[in-house]
Amino acid sequence: MKNMKIAVKLISSFLIVVVLAVIVGGAGILGMSRINTGDNDLYEFNVLAIDSIGRAKDNLSLQRMYVRNIVIYDATSDTYIASVKAMADLETEMQQHLAHYQDTITDDADQATFDQFKNLYNISFAETKKAAIAAGSVNDSEEAQKALDHGFADAAAMNKILTDSMTYNSAEAKKTVDGNTSIFVSSALIEAAFLLVAIIAAVYLAVHIAGLISKPIRKMVAAANAIAVGDMEVDATYNSRDEVGIMANAFTKMIQGINEQVNTVQALAEGDLTCEARPRSDKDVMGKALEKLVDSLNGMFSEINQATSQVSTGSKQIADGSQSLAQGSTQQAAAVEQLSSSINEIANKTQANAEMATKAASLSGTIKNNAQKGSSQMSQMMDAVREINEASQSINKVIKVIDDIAFQKHKLALNAAVEAARAGQHGKGFAVVAEEVRSLAAKSASAAKDTGSLIENSMEKAELGARIASETAASLAEIVLGINESTEIIRDIAKSSDEQAAGIRQINTGIDQVAQVVQQNSATAEESAAASEEMSSQSNMLDELVSHFKLKNSGSAARISSLSSRKQISMPKKSAISFSSGDFGKF
């Protein structure tokens, strides 16, 4: 019964109860039917017989009375006539009573007794009545009395027979009543027994079926309550093929599926991303979501791993670039210091030229007497101008060095900006540093350009001084004739020397600015190098953290390849970049 369907269990139980109820009802109906049959027999064969006997006895008594009246009264009297007529009616009724009683006879002894009664009544008593009527009709008292006496004897004998028959039928009725009572008692006992069996069977089936249904349900409810508080170590198995067993098996499968998903989540929590989350069906929303989560985490950490590698590479490149920038800034500072020393020397010489020009102007009145001496001094001045020209050439070389340093700084700033862009969110600090280095490179280029302009102006003035000196040397031969012209020329020389001194002072100021910028660039390069080292350290730490996660091999290579192709930035080769003086405005 355990493996039956619940509907079959309930229907079978109800059918058993119904069968027992039918048996109890059938036993009761059978008993009542037997009692009813007995009652019918009692009525048809005993009660009607007793009634017929009683009526027959009453009829017989009346006939005796009328026979007496016939014998006593005159044939012409009303009583006689009425008695004769009543006798005929009573005869008819007696035959009816006898016929009714005949129908109730079921026993041979009773039939023999009844046949004896009929013989007495139909033969002897009938002859007596005829004789009495005949004697009465002729007023023969003696014959009438004989008939009356004979009739009384027959009536007594018939009355006794009827009394015996009544006693017999009463005894039969008592037997029938006792039989009905026995049937009632036995039927009641049978019904009580079957009713007790039905009650016991109903209670047993109710308790048994309730246990078969409620026990596994309570087990599943306990399992559900345990699952509700997160306890997955539950057992909801129930070996049955009914609906409860099917539900228990489904519940067990659900618990197994949840345990598989819990194991997957546990693996994810421990960093094992190689676990597989397989949906149990197309409608397994949680399984599909878990599968998507595993794939997303694999993809995300693969990209993080790739990004970490790229950040590490970029930070190393930036660190190397920062070191190169720092070295270049140091070299640039040394070059600027050398340039400043050269400019000071040029300034001193220019100041000396200015003083000599002033002295030449003051001594123009005595130039005739000291022409030879002036020629010698002019030679010295030409030598000084050549030295100035040579110094200007040296300054031009230094300016070119500064220009090259500015170009290298600008290219380094551009590379740092590219690497910062490749680093993404982690490269914002490097982008700021790169922008600052780029700005300083632009300022250095601008200052170098201004310095170059001043140097070219100084060279022009130096060439002008050389040309004037040459003209002065030629004019010394004609000094006598052109004393006034030489005075003007010397005055122009003094003026040009003043302008040259002013230009040299401006160059000196520009060099000081370049020195400050170079020092600032050097400090910025050192900070950039330190930040690059810190970034490289953080990248290594991130790489170490990501390496704790186990990633799937299948699909990762393709995903990383697509990521690399998506994130790779094509950099122009160094040989493809060509800057010249004044090209920084393009950027």
Side-chain angles (χ1 to χ4, degrees):
M1 193 172 186
K2 179 180 178 181
N3 294 322
M4 291 182 180
K5 303 296 183 182
I6 293 178
V8 176
K9 291 177 182 177
L10 296 176
I11 292 172
S12 300
S13 302
F14 282 117
L15 286 177
I16 292 172
V17 174
V18 168
V19 169
L20 292 175
V22 169
I23 293 173
V24 173
I29 292 172
L30 180 61
M32 288 187 293
S33 176
R34 292 173 63 187
I35 293 173
N36 183 53
T37 302
D39 290 339
N40 289 332
D41 293 341
L42 176 65
Y43 176 75
E44 292 178 0
F45 301 108
N46 300 122
V47 174
L48 291 179
I50 293 172
D51 181 69
S52 297
I53 291 171
R55 291 178 182 274
K57 289 180 71 174
D58 292 340
N59 186 288
L60 186 60
S61 298
L62 289 175
Q63 288 190 47
R64 288 174 61 187
M65 182 184 69
Y66 289 132
V67 169
R68 187 190 60 185
N69 290 337
I70 292 171
V71 172
I72 295 172
Y73 292 99
D74 186 72
T76 59
S77 62
D78 294 334
T79 302
Y80 179 85
I81 296 172
S83 296
V84 173
K85 184 177 182 304
M87 283 288 290
D89 294 335
L90 288 173
E91 177 62 26
T92 302
E93 290 180 0
M94 178 60 81
Q95 293 301 324
Q96 292 177 354
H97 295 325
L98 294 178
H100 289 161
Y101 186 76
Q102 179 63 49
D103 294 335
T104 62
I105 295 174
T106 58
D107 186 77
D108 293 337
D110 188 25
Q111 182 66 48
T113 302
F114 183 65
D115 291 339
Q116 184 181 1
F117 175 81
K118 287 192 298 181
N119 290 330
L120 288 173
Y121 179 78
N122 292 326
I123 298 173
S124 180
F125 190 65
E127 293 296 332
T128 299
K129 289 189 294 181
K130 290 179 179 179
I133 293 171
S137 63
V138 295
N139 293 321
D140 186 352
S141 299
E142 184 178 358
E143 291 297 327
Q145 186 62 42
K146 289 180 179 179
L148 179 62
D149 293 338
H150 189 271
F152 281 161
D154 291 338
M158 288 187 294
N159 196 23
K160 183 179 181 304
I161 291 172
L162 292 176
T163 301
D164 293 339
S165 295
M166 184 175 288
T167 302
Y168 170 79
N169 282 284
S170 296
E172 291 296 322
K174 181 67 171 61
K175 289 180 180 179
T176 302
V177 170
D178 292 340
N180 290 341
T181 302
S182 177
I183 291 172
F184 169 75
V185 172
S186 62
S187 297
L189 291 175
I190 292 172
E191 288 186 9
F194 277 109
L195 183 61
L196 181 61
V197 171
I199 292 173
I200 294 173
V203 172
Y204 171 77
L205 290 174
V207 173
H208 184 64
I209 293 175
L212 291 177
I213 296 174
S214 62
K215 183 178 179 181
I217 290 177
R218 286 196 301 269
K219 186 176 182 180
M220 284 185 287
V221 169
N225 290 329
I227 293 173
V229 296
D231 183 10
M232 299 306 299
E233 298 297 328
V234 294
D235 182 17
T237 57
Y238 179 68
N239 295 325
S240 175
R241 291 192 293 271
D242 60 358
E243 288 84 348
V244 178
I246 295 172
M247 182 170 64
N249 292 332
F251 202 75
T252 302
K253 290 180 181 179
M254 182 188 73
I255 294 173
Q256 292 174 354
I258 294 175
N259 280 325
E260 291 177 359
Q261 293 175 347
V262 168
N263 293 334
T264 302
V265 174
Q266 184 67 29
L268 291 178
E270 294 174 356
D272 185 6
L273 302 182
T274 60
C275 58
E276 295 290 340
R278 298 183 179 88
R280 290 165 288 180
S281 66
D282 293 336
K283 296 183 179 179
D284 187 3
V285 179
M286 182 179 294
K288 289 183 178 179
L290 195 58
E291 183 182 31
K292 186 176 181 181
L293 175 62
V294 172
D295 293 339
S296 298
L297 288 176
N298 271 277
M300 181 182 69
F301 279 101
S302 296
E303 293 179 359
I304 290 175
N305 193 13
Q306 178 68 15
T308 302
S309 177
Q310 291 183 354
V311 168
S312 179
T313 303
S315 62
K316 186 176 184 305
Q317 292 178 356
I318 292 174
D320 295 340
S322 298
Q323 292 294 335
S324 299
L325 179 62
Q327 293 176 1
S329 298
T330 303
Q331 294 175 359
Q332 189 179 25
V336 169
E337 184 177 359
Q338 183 179 2
L339 177 63
S340 177
S341 177
S342 300
I343 291 298
N344 287 330
E345 185 178 356
I346 292 173
N348 292 331
K349 290 182 179 181
T350 303
Q351 185 66 32
N353 289 338
E355 291 176 356
M356 286 188 294
T358 302
K359 186 176 180 181
S362 64
L363 294 176
S364 61
T366 60
I367 196 170
K368 289 182 181 181
N369 298 323
N370 295 315
Q372 188 66 34
K373 184 178 180 178
S375 178
S376 176
Q377 291 177 347
M378 186 58 63
S379 297
Q380 294 177 358
M381 183 181 69
M382 289 181 66
D383 294 337
V385 169
R386 281 196 303 273
E387 292 177 358
I388 291 172
N389 191 15
E390 292 175 358
S392 298
Q393 293 293 332
S394 299
I395 292 172
N396 192 18
K397 293 179 181 180
V398 172
I399 292 302
K400 287 184 178 180
V401 172
I402 294 172
D403 194 8
D404 292 336
I405 291 172
F407 166 73
Q408 292 295 330
K409 287 167 62 180
H410 184 272
K411 184 168 67 174
L412 181 61
L414 181 59
N415 291 331
V418 170
E419 294 298 329
R422 180 182 297 174
Q425 184 69 23
H426 301 289
K428 286 186 176 181
F430 296 104
V432 175
V433 174
E435 185 64 26
E436 188 66 23
V437 172
R438 181 179 178 182
S439 176
L440 293 176
K443 290 180 181 180
S444 297
S446 178
K449 184 178 181 180
D450 294 338
T451 303
S453 298
L454 294 175
I455 292 299
E456 288 177 0
N457 190 15
S458 177
M459 290 177 65
E460 290 176 0
K461 287 180 172 55
E463 289 176 359
L464 179 61
R467 188 171 59 254
I468 294 172
S470 179
E471 290 176 357
T472 302
S475 297
L476 285 176
E478 300 176 357
I479 193 169
V480 176
L481 299 176
I483 189 61
N484 292 329
E485 184 179 356
S486 89
T487 301
E488 293 295 331
I489 292 172
I490 292 173
R491 192 178 293 117
D492 292 336
I493 291 172
K495 183 178 178 181
S496 297
S497 296
D498 291 336
E499 292 178 355
Q500 189 177 19
I504 293 300
R505 285 194 296 272
Q506 291 179 357
I507 291 173
N508 197 12
T509 302
I511 291 300
D512 291 337
Q513 293 177 354
V514 170
Q516 293 177 359
V517 171
V518 168
Q519 290 177 358
Q520 186 176 1
N521 288 346
S522 179
T524 303
E526 291 177 358
E527 292 177 357
S528 176
S532 298
E533 291 295 333
E534 179 66 20
M535 180 179 176
S536 179
S537 177
Q538 294 295 329
S539 175
N540 292 332
M541 183 180 296
L542 179 60
D543 191 13
E544 183 178 356
L545 291 174
V546 172
S547 65
H548 286 253
F549 291 92
K550 298 179 180 179
L551 303 180
K552 295 180 180 178
N553 293 327
S554 60
S556 299
R559 193 182 302 112
I560 293 175
S561 177
S562 63
L563 178 65
S564 301
S565 63
R566 188 168 62 249
K567 291 191 174 182
Q568 185 68 31
I569 299 175
S570 60
M571 289 292 297
K573 296 181 180 179
K574 292 183 179 180
S575 59
I577 301 177
S578 176
F579 292 100
S580 60
S581 179
D583 288 341
F584 296 101
K586 296 180 181 179
F587 294 89

